[in-house]
């Protein structure tokens, strides 16, 4: 093969490679993008569960608060009534018994007041946590909606670009001799992208291992398209071609 023809073929393969690399990146992106959405959804469910927990706790604490308030009210009434009755008691024994009872009720109510104060504090904490979660949830829902919308339009763009690239690929393939193309496609199905790489000095830029001196001499001749003895990728000498792919845009 004449050197100019050899370089021409390398150029075509590199162009094809550029198309394939972009296709692979786009297909990966198509798979990854919904995963981000899935993560957001999981986070949303998680927050929603937390919010439910705090709602439940708030409800329970409110009920406890109500009950305490009723108990305090009722016993305060009892104390008031006892105080009134006390004036009418003439028997000393009965008087002391009533005083003791009133004393006990007052103690009980003081205890309840303390409990109520703690409970009110607790309730306040739970309420603000609940509100905080509510805000977080709203923000996340907004983010999810935006992400969903962006994703839909991004996926549409990706699909359009893939269609365009597949057309370009067909065109690029038709430029490459059948034998070389089938070698390229064979490796494309079996190797990690990219399939064709340059050799810089004597190092394969696909696997970063030096190719043997004899092979390096061969590749500099530019007579036939060679494979890296280590990674099997198609290789070309950097001095023959800078490796800048021809534009793949339509
Ligand atoms: Zn290699």
């Amino acid at each position: 093969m004449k050197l100019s023809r050899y370089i021409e073929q390398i150029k075509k393969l590199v162009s094809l490679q550029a198309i394939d690399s972009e296709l692979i990146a786009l297909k990966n992106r198509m798979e990854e993008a919904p995963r981000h959405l899935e993560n957001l959804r999981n986070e949303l469910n998680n927050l929603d569960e937390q919010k439910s927990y705090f709602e439940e706790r708030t409800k329970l604490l409110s009920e406890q608060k109500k009950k305490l308030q009723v108990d305090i009210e009722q016993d305060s009434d009892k104390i008031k009534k006892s105080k009134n009755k006390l004036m009418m008691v003439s028997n000393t024994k009965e008087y002391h018994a009533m005083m003791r009872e009133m004393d006990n009720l007052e103690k009980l109510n003081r205890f309840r007041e303390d409990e109520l104060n703690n409970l009110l504090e607790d309730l306040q904490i739970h309420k603000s946590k609940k509100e905080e979660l509510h805000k977080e949830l709203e923000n996340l829902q907004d983010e999810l909606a935006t992400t969903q919308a962006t994703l839909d339009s991004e996926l549409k763009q990706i699909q359009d670009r893939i269609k365009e690239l597949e057309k370009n690929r067909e065109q690029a393939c038709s430029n490459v001799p059948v034998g070389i193309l089938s070698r390229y496609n064979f490796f494309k199905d079996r190797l990690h992208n990219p399939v064709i790489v340059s050799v810089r000095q004597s190092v394969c830029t696909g696997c970063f291992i030096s190719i043997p001196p004899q092979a390096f001499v061969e590749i500099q001749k530019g007579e036939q398209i060679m494979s890296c003895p280590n990674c099997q990728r198609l290789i070309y000498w950097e001095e023959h071609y800078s490796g800048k792919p021809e534009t793949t845009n339509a």
Side-chain angles (χ1 to χ4, degrees):
M1 206 192 302
K2 266 174 68 185
L3 184 61
S4 61
R5 211 172 140 243
Y6 166 84
I7 291 175
E8 207 44 50
Q9 287 183 359
I10 292 290
K11 269 188 194 173
K12 284 169 182 168
L13 282 176
V14 171
S15 296
L16 180 59
Q17 175 66 72
I19 294 172
D20 281 340
S21 294
E22 194 180 343
L23 274 170
I24 289 169
L26 289 176
K27 284 173 184 169
N28 284 343
R29 176 71 191 138
M30 271 183 90
E31 277 176 29
E32 272 165 27
R35 244 174 263 154
H36 175 57
L37 205 66
E38 189 59 32
N39 288 343
L40 282 179
R41 280 207 194 96
N42 288 341
E43 207 180 318
L44 195 78
N45 287 342
N46 188 12
L47 276 182
D48 210 34
E49 268 172 36
Q50 281 186 50
K51 192 183 148 218
S52 298
Y53 167 79
F54 279 99
E55 272 169 357
E56 202 126 311
R57 284 289 297 160
T58 306
K59 209 177 129 203
L60 198 74
L61 288 170
S62 296
E63 281 164 11
Q64 283 177 350
K65 177 188 127 191
K66 222 183 208 168
K67 189 180 176 301
L68 265 176
Q69 282 170 331
V70 169
D71 287 349
I72 291 171
E73 181 90 29
Q74 279 175 349
D75 280 354
S76 288
D77 270 0
K78 266 192 213 163
I79 294 167
K80 236 184 253 164
K81 276 177 194 152
S82 297
K83 268 184 185 158
N84 290 337
K85 260 199 254 166
L86 207 59
M87 323 268 197
M88 291 177 271
V89 173
S90 50
N91 181 320
T92 318
K93 214 173 163 186
E94 200 183 333
Y95 179 88
H96 281 299
M98 277 182 76
M99 282 294 279
R100 258 201 310 278
E101 198 202 334
M102 276 167 54
D103 207 34
N104 285 340
L105 285 178
E106 271 169 354
K107 260 186 212 155
L108 187 60
N109 262 2
R110 273 200 298 278
F111 175 77
R112 284 182 183 133
E113 297 274 6
D114 284 346
E115 210 185 328
L116 184 63
N117 283 336
N118 289 338
L119 209 128
L120 288 174
E121 252 176 60
D122 213 13
L123 195 61
Q124 194 49 50
I125 291 168
H126 278 73
K127 270 185 186 162
S128 42
K129 185 71 193 163
K130 198 182 77 179
E131 275 156 29
E132 200 181 294
L133 282 167
H134 182 73
K135 257 181 227 152
E136 266 181 66
L137 258 171
E138 274 184 344
N139 289 343
L140 202 62
Q141 269 157 349
D142 285 350
E143 195 189 337
L144 195 72
T146 316
T147 308
Q148 176 75 67
T150 324
L151 184 71
D152 288 346
S153 75
E154 194 196 349
L155 287 182
K156 172 85 179 61
Q157 272 176 18
I158 290 178
Q159 276 159 352
D160 289 349
R161 179 69 181 146
I162 286 177
K163 259 186 222 155
E164 194 181 3
L165 283 169
E166 273 164 357
K167 228 185 272 168
N168 291 350
R169 187 176 199 279
E170 244 171 76
Q171 176 105 48
C173 284
S174 68
N175 290 332
V176 183
V178 178
I180 295 166
L181 183 63
S182 69
R183 241 174 102 193
Y184 174 90
N185 283 332
F186 178 85
F187 289 125
K188 179 179 173 278
D189 295 339
R190 287 163 182 81
L191 298 176
H192 281 297
N193 194 62
V195 175
I196 180 159
V197 294
S198 66
V199 169
R200 184 168 301 155
Q201 277 135 20
S202 67
V203 177
C204 163
T205 59
C207 64
F208 301 102
I209 286 179
S210 279
I211 59 170
Q214 187 50 45
F216 189 48
V217 171
E218 276 304 308
I219 200 172
Q220 290 181 59
K221 289 184 190 159
E223 287 172 350
Q224 54 172 331
I225 295 173
M226 294 169 61
S227 281
C228 167
N230 179 59
C231 70
Q232 311 303 320
R233 287 185 174 91
L234 304 178
I235 45 175
Y236 60 92
W237 190 33
E238 204 185 46
E239 302 286 311
H240 283 154
Y241 179 49
S242 72
K244 296 247 169 28
E246 276 148 27
T247 174
T248 57
N249 287 309

